[in-house]
């Protein structure tokens, strides 16, 4: 007779998030509910991204959706879905979105909670027309002000203060990957039952990295140090590595691959500038938090991102993230070559 007790566990994301709560004695359940609502938003957004190519066709017929709204651009739909699922729950004191210039207050009629949610509703959305993976990125901080509506002070916190972060990638399958500071776990959406199921437990960057990733068409604009680092990678990285180059141009997909294959992703500034293109709070800190939780290291190329105090919601920053030795090699080459040039000037 079969002994059912030895069947493998089926771990839904709800169950996993619930279990994580046990790592926070005295937790009120607010974070648990918040993460579950983000997973729900991911499912709703996924149901739209899979129909992305049809939007124009539906739009051409003048169709409206079930709420009676005309068909929207996907990134606006993603933004509104995240906002609407989280505005009334009493878990948040404010939200911030890459789609909105200012901090988004909780509507007056709803209760105020202990957390701040920052999100990039649809990262890589310029790739949608090409059927390339896009995704939602989120960062969660605990508020620092004691009560009342959340303020910028609650949102402008360094990466080391992240309570939980993650992303949902809408690719050949939909996956949610998150960390609440206790490792990184990945869940694949089973569309037939509408559940995220644990498929990639305890993700760690492989010690032998497989890919390096950057938009090398910017090479002429990079500093001498960054050029030298990229030359080093392109020439086989001292023969000590056996890496290929891959660049999708959708950070969510590039970092998803990095987490599973190991390597380095970098988006440096143009020569003479300090910042790159990617946003600290919506892209670099949350994705970097996962890379760090998976055993990697995140740097601007000059210093760790971990302690950097944000100065603005949409602040951009230079980033190098991935296996520690590869990131440290970039830091060393940049310090040696660009540092020497700065000293001489
Ligand atoms: P977005 O938030 O407007 O989509 O821009 C961010 C995206 C990232 O997903 C990706 O890493 C980067 O832009 C690609 O930029 P580039 O085309 O300059 O390489
Ligand atoms: Mg983005």
């Amino acid at each position: 007779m079969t002994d059912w007790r030895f069947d493998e566990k089926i771990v839904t994301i709800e169950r996993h998030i619930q279990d994580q709560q046990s790592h926070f004695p005295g937790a009120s359940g607010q974070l648990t509910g918040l993460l579950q609502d983000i997973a729900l938003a991911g499912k709703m957004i996924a149901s739209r991204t899979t129909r992305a190519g049809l939007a124009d066709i539906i739009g051409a017929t003048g169709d409206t959706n079930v709420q009676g709204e005309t068909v929207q651009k996907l990134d606006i739909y993603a933004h509104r879905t995240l906002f609407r699922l989280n505005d009334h729950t009493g878990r948040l004191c404010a939200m911030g979105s890459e789609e909105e210039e200012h901090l988004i207050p909780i509507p007056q009629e709803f209760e105020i909670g202990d957390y701040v949610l920052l999100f990039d509703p649809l990262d890589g959305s310029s790739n949608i027309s090409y059927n390339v993976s896009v995704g939602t990125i989120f960062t969660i901080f605990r508020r620092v002000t004691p009560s009342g509506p959340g303020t910028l002070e609650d949102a402008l916190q360094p990466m080391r203060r992240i309570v939980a972060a993650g992303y949902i990638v809408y690719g050949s399958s939909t996956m949610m990957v998150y960390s609440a500071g206790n490792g990184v776990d990945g869940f694949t959406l089973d569309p037939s039952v509408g559940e995220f199921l644990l498929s990639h437990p305890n993700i760690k960057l492989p010690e032998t990295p497989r890919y390096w990733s950057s938009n090398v068409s910017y090479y002429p604009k990079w500093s001498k140090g960054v050029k030298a680092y990229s030359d080093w990678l392109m020439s086989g990285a001292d023969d000590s590595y056996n890496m290929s180059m891959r660049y999708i141009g959708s950070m969510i997909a590039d970092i998803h691959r990095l987490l599973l294959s190991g390597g380095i992703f970098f988006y440096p500034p143009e020569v003479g500038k300090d910042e790159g293109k990617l946003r600290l709070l919506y892209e670099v800190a949350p994705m970097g938090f996962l890379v760090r939780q998976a055993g990697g290291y995140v740097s601007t190329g000059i210093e760790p991102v971990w302690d950097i105090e944000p100065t603005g919601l949409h602040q951009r920053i230079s980033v190098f993230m991935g296996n520690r030795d590869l990131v440290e090699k970039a830091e060393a080459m940049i310090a040696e070559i660009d540092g020497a040039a700065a000293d001489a000037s």
Side-chain angles (χ1 to χ4, degrees), residues 98 120 123-124 279 283:
E98 209 197 81
D120 180 352
D123 178 66
R279 290 167 172 87
E283 293 164 333

Side-chain angles (χ1 to χ4, degrees), residues 75 98-99 120 122-127 133-134 137 214-218 247-255 265 267 277-279 282-283 316:
D75 37 12
E98 209 197 81
E99 294 288 334
D120 180 352
L122 212 56
D123 178 66
S125 57
S126 64
N127 287 304
S133 300
V134 291
I137 308 174
S214 191
N215 188 342
V216 283
S217 68
Y218 297 131
Y247 187 71
I248 298 169
S250 178
M251 186 195 194
I252 199 118
D254 279 313
I255 302 296
F265 169 92
Y267 203 120
K277 172 186 183 185
L278 298 174
R279 290 167 172 87
Y282 298 116
E283 293 164 333
R316 296 173 193 269

Side-chain angles (χ1 to χ4, degrees), residues 189-202:
L189 182 64
D190 180 342
S192 63
V193 293
E195 279 289 355
F196 281 109
L197 304 176
L198 182 61
S199 53
H200 296 65
N202 196 21

Side-chain angles (χ1 to χ4, degrees), residues 134-149:
V134 291
T136 299
I137 308 174
F138 64 91
T139 310
I140 300 171
F141 292 115
R142 183 174 263 280
R143 66 181 305 164
V144 289
T145 56
S147 58

Side-chain angles (χ1 to χ4, degrees), residues 95-312:
M95 285 184 248
S97 165
E98 209 197 81
E99 294 288 334
E100 282 268 342
E101 189 182 346
H102 302 293
L103 199 63
I104 310 168
I106 299 302
Q108 272 183 353
E109 63 268 37
F110 301 129
E111 274 181 41
I112 301 281
D114 293 335
Y115 293 95
V116 185
L117 172 64
L118 305 176
F119 51 85
D120 180 352
L122 212 56
D123 178 66
S125 57
S126 64
N127 287 304
I128 287 179
S129 328
Y130 310 109
N131 213 346
V132 168
S133 300
V134 291
T136 299
I137 308 174
F138 64 91
T139 310
I140 300 171
F141 292 115
R142 183 174 263 280
R143 66 181 305 164
V144 289
T145 56
S147 58
T151 66
L152 264 186
E153 198 186 338
D154 298 309
L156 300 185
Q157 298 194 54
M159 183 174 146
R160 68 165 191 282
R161 304 288 295 268
I162 289 178
V163 173
Y167 61 86
I168 301 131
V169 58
Y170 312 108
S172 41
S173 60
T174 297
M175 277 190 72
M176 177 157 165
V177 177
Y178 87 99
S179 173
N182 188 40
V184 183
D185 295 282
F187 302 78
T188 303
L189 182 64
D190 180 342
S192 63
V193 293
E195 279 289 355
F196 281 109
L197 304 176
L198 182 61
S199 53
H200 296 65
N202 196 21
I203 295 170
K204 291 281 175 221
L205 292 184
E207 276 176 30
T208 307
R210 288 192 58 191
Y211 300 112
W212 65 275
S213 185
S214 191
N215 188 342
V216 283
S217 68
Y218 297 131
Y219 183 94
K221 299 179 180 170
W222 287 342
S223 70
K224 287 193 173 124
V226 176
K227 280 180 178 165
Y229 180 63
S230 137
D231 292 343
W232 176 76
L233 289 168
M234 232 169 299
S235 63
D238 293 342
D239 294 332
S240 42
Y241 300 93
N242 184 20
M243 285 188 291
S244 278
M245 187 273 185
R246 292 276 191 286
Y247 187 71
I248 298 169
S250 178
M251 186 195 194
I252 199 118
D254 279 313
I255 302 296
H256 183 64
R257 186 196 54 243
L258 172 71
L259 282 168
L260 300 180
S261 70
I264 183 164
F265 169 92
F266 57 104
Y267 203 120
E270 290 179 16
V271 66
K273 293 190 179 166
D274 290 333
E275 56 186 38
K277 172 186 183 185
L278 298 174
R279 290 167 172 87
L280 173 56
L281 286 169
Y282 298 116
E283 293 164 333
V284 172
M287 298 306 260
F289 182 76
L290 298 177
V291 167
R292 197 174 185 277
Q293 280 284 323
Y297 173 48
V298 187
S299 169
T300 62
I302 292 173
E303 59 178 336
V305 175
W306 189 239
D307 288 319
I308 292 178
E309 302 278 344
T311 53

